[in-house]
Every structure is written in structure tokens, then in C-alpha cells.
Amino acid sequence: MPLKNSSSKIPVFLLIISFCLLLFNSVFLHEKINLVVSLVFTLANISIFIYFLKLSSRKSALIKSEIEHSSEQINIINVDIQKSRQLAKALKLKITRYDNLKKIIEKLNVSLKTDTVIRELTAAVYSLISDNRGIALFYLVDNQYQRLNLVYSLKDDSDLVILSKEGDIFDQWVLRHSNQLIVEDLKNDFRFDPEKTLLQDRRQIFSLISSPLVSHDSLLGLLRLESKKAGFFTQDDLRFLALVADLGSAALENSLLFHKKEELAIHDDLTGLFTKHHFVSRLKDEVKRCQRLDQYLSLMMIDIDFFKQYNDKFGHTAGDIVLKKVGLLLKSSLREVNPLLCRFGGEEFLVMLSGLNKQKALVLAEDLRGRIEKKTIILRRNETHITVSIGVASLPLDTKDDDELIQKADKAMYKAKEKGRNRVCSI
């Protein structure tokens, strides 16, 4: 600072000297301004000019530096404001998501239906994470064949068809690793080939998140969201999806166990056909429906001829084999008419045929009898054949009451027994 102050005084000092010389020359010597005085005066003015020019330049540089510094500070503040807004927005989104999570849990706790659980979980993540854009897929695991089955989907394009019903390379990755997956930009993800995914299912995928539903180390299903926009999903999205999947796993497992219990309760353990109790309940409802719509309904009562002889000759295990074979034949032979099949008791079976009149039911029964008669069954390495007696009764021709309809079909079956078995009869 002292050097700077002393250097800044030089032009002023020169100016004072030149002015004094001019004054002295003019007043005391009464002479005109000589060349030396003029030169000194000129140099002093030039020095003053240069000094003020440099001073102005320094001030401009200082002001410019201060402006740049202020701009940097403003930019930093703007960035901080932007980050704060983003954080506030993210926090608000998290609050919204977790508030809705409570509602999701409440809905899941009051439902034991698998379809309802699947729909609630899928709709929740599709709305809260994807904002109802892109595609949401829910797969269940077929433990018998260790493969995925697409059971539910939501999409913003109603015309879009999901071709990969058993999953694609992304789903297989999750199935193989039993871990969450995020693909922020498929083009930059070395784990997957974009062209291969496009060949598997003709829809464009740029970003996706997926989470398995696991309970007690058992993989139950898979919940997946995808988008046509790269970078659409974030790590926060994946964490929330994983949380929903974890909470949903317990609800899904409970619903699957409940469904399995229901299935066991209404199906015969040996043949897999409906039980008598369930069949009678369904028959009551179907009779009311057919009467309301003025439609036909027919019943077949089927009894295996000489069934006791198979048990006596080959043992009860052989009898079980015969019952299973008959059950399978009923399913395969009557598949086209969508029947309701029941093991009514012992070696008796009951078949409900909605929409079929008595004449058509008799034709169908005769065709079924012939198929069963021709079927070869191996019992203890012996080839054998079985026959059945079938009784047919129809609504409204024979009766308008469901209980009486069963009784008349049973009576017609005993009529076939009395006439020599291996035949079809009606009342």
C-alpha cells in the first residue's frame, strides 16, 4: 500500500512542478513559456492521463470480478434452491406414497382372494410409481414347472398385447437371482441386449424396475413396471416397489393358501372332480338361472359296472386307478360342452350339462359310454376294460326341481343296470 500511494503521487507532483514553473516564468521572469516548461507540463498531463486510465481499468476489472463472483454466488444459490425444491418434491412424493401404503395394507388385510390381492398390488405401484403410464405386469410362479405365468397387467395403451406370457429375459434374470432389478437405460445396460428383447416381445422398453415376491425363501411371483422413456425410474422407485412387494408377499401367500384350502374342500382327493356338496350347491344355482332364462339343463348319473369285482380281484389300489381313469375320461370326452363334473360317491359320478336338452344329452351319453368301453386299462400288468351304466334326466322336461332332477337321473341309471348294464337310459 505505501508503494502504491507513493507511485500515485508522482503525476500530481509533476503537475505541481510544471504549474509552478509556468507561474514563475510568467510572473517573475515576464517571459513566454519556454520549450522545457511546456515539455514538463505535457509529460505531467500525459502521466496524469495514463494514471487515471489505469485506475479506471483497475476499477473496471474489480467491478467485473465482483460481478462474476456475485453471479457465481447467485448460480450456487439457484442450484441450492433447485436442489431444495427437488428434495421437497421428493419428500412430498415419499409422504404421499407412504400414506397410500397404509391404505394398501388395510385393503390387503381384509381380502383373502388371490385375484383381489394381485389387482390391489399392481394398481398401487402403477399409480404411485408410474403415475399410470407405461406398463405394469404381475407374474405368479408355477412351482411345478418352475416358470412364470402372467396373471394381470395394466397399460396406458389399450391396444398393446403382451406376448411374453411366461416372462422375458428381464423376468428370467429376477427369477434366477431372486433379487430386485432396475434398468435405467436399456441402451447403456451391458447385462441385456436391446435387440433381443425387441425380438422376444414387439414392444419398446427403455427403462424398468422389477421386484420378486418372496415368502420363507419361496418365490411366489414378480411385480414389474416398465416405460418407453429412458431414465424414467430411480433407485427410490425401486426401493418403494421392493417394499410393496415385501408387504404384498405375506398377503399373497395367505390368499394362495386360502385358495388351495378352498380347492381341497370342494374337490375330491382321488379324482380331482368336484365333491358332492359343492356340486349340489352349484346345481341349485344353475337350475334357478336356467329357469329364469328359459334354458335347458341335463344331468348324467354314471355308475361303473361290477366295480366291486375290480377291488376283489386286483385290490383297492386297482379300484382307485379305475376311478382316476374314469375321471380323466369324463374330462377329456366332455371338454367341448364345458360340463360340471362330480364324484357323487363310491363309483358314481354326476355330470351337469347346462344348455343341453334331453335328446342331445342322450346322444352325448351314448358317445361317452362307447369311449369308456373301448378304453384299455392296465391293472397289475393285465389289460382290462370297464363299462358304465348312465342315466339321463333333463330340466324342464322331467322336473323343475334340482333334488328331483338328481333322483330321476339316479332312477334312470338303475334302469340301465336292470336292463343289463353298459347302456344309457332315461325316464
Side-chain angles (χ1 to χ4, degrees):
M1 286 297 292
L3 290 174
K4 185 176 180 182
N5 289 336
S6 60
S7 63
S8 63
K9 292 177 181 179
I10 294 173
V12 178
F13 181 70
L14 290 174
L15 180 62
I16 292 170
I17 290 174
S18 62
F19 182 77
C20 291
L21 287 172
L22 285 173
L23 186 64
F24 179 79
N25 191 47
S26 300
V27 176
F28 295 100
L29 299 178
H30 301 283
E31 293 182 3
K32 293 182 179 179
I33 299 172
N34 60 31
L35 184 62
V36 176
V37 174
S38 298
L39 182 61
V40 172
F41 184 79
T42 303
L43 288 173
N45 280 283
I46 292 172
S47 298
I48 292 169
F49 176 77
I50 293 172
Y51 166 73
F52 283 110
L53 186 65
K54 287 182 178 181
L55 184 63
S56 175
S57 178
R58 286 173 186 170
K59 287 184 177 180
S60 298
L62 182 61
I63 293 170
K64 185 178 180 182
S65 176
E66 289 178 353
I67 291 172
E68 288 178 354
H69 179 70
S70 300
S71 298
E72 288 177 3
Q73 293 297 318
I74 291 170
N75 290 334
I76 292 171
I77 292 170
N78 286 334
V79 170
D80 289 339
I81 292 171
Q82 189 67 24
K83 286 181 179 179
S84 298
R85 287 176 178 173
Q86 289 175 352
L87 288 172
K89 185 178 179 181
L91 182 60
K92 184 179 179 181
L93 180 61
K94 283 184 178 180
I95 293 171
T96 302
R97 286 179 174 178
Y98 286 99
D99 281 345
N100 281 276
L101 192 60
K102 183 181 177 182
K103 297 176 183 178
I104 297 167
I105 295 170
E106 290 173 352
K107 288 181 180 179
L108 294 176
N109 287 338
V110 298
S111 178
L112 284 172
K113 291 185 177 180
T114 303
D115 289 345
T116 303
V117 172
I118 290 171
R119 289 175 182 272
E120 287 291 342
L121 288 173
T122 310
V125 296
Y126 189 56
S127 171
L128 295 173
I129 299 177
S130 294
D131 195 24
N132 296 313
R133 289 179 289 174
I135 300 173
L137 304 174
F138 197 108
Y139 292 92
L140 281 179
V141 175
D142 186 338
N143 290 316
Q144 183 177 357
Y145 299 101
Q146 282 300 299
R147 66 185 182 192
L148 296 170
N149 290 322
L150 179 63
V151 292
Y152 189 61
S153 65
L154 290 172
K155 49 201 175 183
D156 55 5
D157 184 358
S158 58
D159 296 328
L160 182 66
V161 178
I162 309 297
L163 299 177
S164 51
K165 304 296 183 183
E166 296 181 6
D168 53 21
I169 58 174
F170 306 111
D171 305 312
Q172 296 304 322
W173 189 95
V174 176
L175 187 65
R176 187 168 60 253
H177 293 84
S178 294
N179 201 4
Q180 298 101 21
L181 170 68
I182 180 169
V183 177
E184 295 181 1
D185 187 351
L186 182 57
K187 290 183 178 179
N188 298 324
D189 197 313
F190 66 90
R191 295 172 296 179
F192 306 104
D193 183 358
E195 294 182 2
K196 188 176 181 181
T197 60
L198 192 60
L199 288 173
Q200 276 191 328
D201 201 328
R202 299 167 189 171
R203 68 180 192 273
Q204 288 186 329
I205 303 171
F206 288 98
S207 181
L208 69 87
I209 52 175
S210 182
S211 180
L213 288 91
V214 181
S215 180
H216 301 99
D217 296 326
S218 176
L219 186 61
L220 305 176
L222 186 151
L223 192 53
R224 163 175 161 178
L225 298 172
E226 62 182 60
S227 173
K228 293 180 181 179
K229 183 180 177 182
F232 186 82
F233 299 109
T234 65
Q235 289 291 341
D236 280 342
D237 294 332
L238 181 62
R239 279 190 284 270
F240 186 74
L241 178 67
L243 179 59
V244 174
D246 286 341
L247 294 172
S249 296
L252 180 62
E253 184 180 36
N254 290 337
S255 69
L256 290 172
L257 289 173
F258 181 76
H259 178 71
K260 188 175 181 179
K261 185 178 179 181
E262 276 191 327
E263 288 293 306
L264 290 172
I266 64 175
H267 285 87
D268 176 59
D269 292 339
L270 185 64
T271 62
L273 305 181
F274 287 117
T275 60
K276 177 181 177 179
H277 177 76
H278 180 72
F279 183 91
V280 171
S281 176
R282 290 280 298 273
L283 178 63
K284 288 181 182 294
D285 294 336
E286 193 63 15
V287 166
K288 291 177 183 177
R289 189 187 73 84
C290 288
Q291 288 177 341
R292 187 175 66 254
L293 300 175
D294 195 24
Q295 292 182 349
Y296 296 107
L297 186 147
S298 296
L299 281 188
M300 293 184 194
M301 179 69 81
I302 304 168
D303 186 84
I304 301 174
D305 297 329
F306 306 110
F307 180 73
K308 188 175 181 298
Q309 293 181 9
Y310 293 103
N311 281 334
D312 295 340
K313 184 177 180 180
F314 300 105
H316 288 285
T317 302
D320 289 346
I321 292 173
V322 171
L323 291 171
K324 287 180 180 179
K325 290 290 184 182
V326 172
L328 291 172
L329 281 168
L330 291 177
K331 289 178 182 178
S332 61
S333 302
L334 302 174
R335 186 181 294 111
E336 292 183 0
V337 292
N338 193 27
L340 188 70
L341 305 173
C342 157
R343 184 183 174 193
F344 199 66
E347 68 271 23
E348 289 182 336
F349 298 85
L350 202 53
V351 179
M352 180 174 71
L353 303 165
S354 298
L356 261 68
N357 59 28
K358 192 170 187 177
Q359 185 178 358
K360 290 182 179 179
L362 286 168
V363 173
L364 194 63
E366 181 59 35
D367 178 71
L368 175 64
R369 184 205 61 78
R371 286 173 182 255
I372 293 174
E373 183 182 18
K374 293 176 182 178
K375 183 67 176 179
T376 301
I377 299 177
I378 307 297
L379 297 175
R380 294 187 180 274
R381 299 182 181 178
N382 295 315
E383 290 188 1
T384 186
H385 295 269
I386 61 172
T387 61
V388 293
S389 299
I390 304 176
V392 176
S394 296
L395 182 86
L397 185 62
D398 296 319
T399 181
K400 293 183 179 181
D401 180 73
D402 51 278
D403 290 331
E404 191 176 357
L405 189 64
I406 294 175
Q407 292 173 7
K408 291 206 170 184
D410 188 58
K411 188 175 181 181
M413 183 269 292
Y414 275 104
K415 181 180 177 181
K417 293 277 189 185
E418 292 170 358
K419 286 191 173 184
R421 294 181 172 83
N422 191 25
R423 65 191 66 233
V424 177
C425 289
S426 63
I427 300 299

